[in-house]
Amino acid sequence: MITLYHHTKCKTSRDALEILENSGEPHLVVLYVNNPPSEAELRHIIKATGGSVRDILRQKGTPFDELDLGNPKWSDEDLIGFMLQHPILMNRPIAINGDQGALCRPPEKILDLIS
């Protein structure tokens, strides 16, 4: 089953959800701003996407700049803490299927996770 970390106000996220729904693949939609992932889930998301913590940080429309998160002084642990405090900092959409995941930008990247 694919889990989609979704934000309803994001066009890219809505497009990824539409692709997923049209695929017929079983899925779970998590509105992560209202229902943020736990620390363990967030760590799994980061690992599954195969990128760094910074790869899933969102800048636009978030407190990224006011928290000075572009500053290299922040460790991965610090950045995870900020994402736990401010879930909007998590980029979207992110899809997870078991141990594989993708930041679905462009939204068609979700096709890589559909069996």
Side-chain angles (χ1 to χ4, degrees), residues 90-106:
M90 195 170 102
N91 213 339
R92 75 266 183 158
I94 293 177
I96 303 293
N97 190 356
D99 289 334
Q100 301 218 334
L103 174 58
C104 298
R105 294 187 159 273

Side-chain angles (χ1 to χ4, degrees), residues 15-105:
D15 290 347
L17 178 58
E18 182 179 2
I19 292 167
L20 183 57
E21 288 176 339
N22 288 338
S23 77
E25 186 81 14
H27 60 278
L28 171 67
V29 176
V30 176
L31 302 176
Y32 70 93
V33 173
N34 300 327
N35 186 22
S38 68
E39 181 176 350
E41 290 169 323
L42 182 56
R43 289 179 184 281
H44 176 73
I45 290 166
I46 294 163
K47 184 177 181 182
T49 59
S52 71
V53 174
R54 288 192 181 275
D55 289 340
I56 67 163
L57 270 176
R58 181 169 177 82
Q59 295 181 30
K60 184 178 172 189
T62 73
F64 182 93
D65 288 332
E66 63 194 68
L67 294 170
D68 192 30
L69 297 183
N71 191 322
K73 74 178 182 179
W74 300 116
S75 70
D76 286 352
E77 294 302 312
D78 293 329
L79 296 173
I80 288 170
F82 283 116
M83 281 191 276
L84 292 170
Q85 290 175 351
H86 307 278
I88 195 71
L89 285 167
M90 195 170 102
N91 213 339
R92 75 266 183 158
I94 293 177
I96 303 293
N97 190 356
D99 289 334
Q100 301 218 334
L103 174 58
C104 298
R105 294 187 159 273

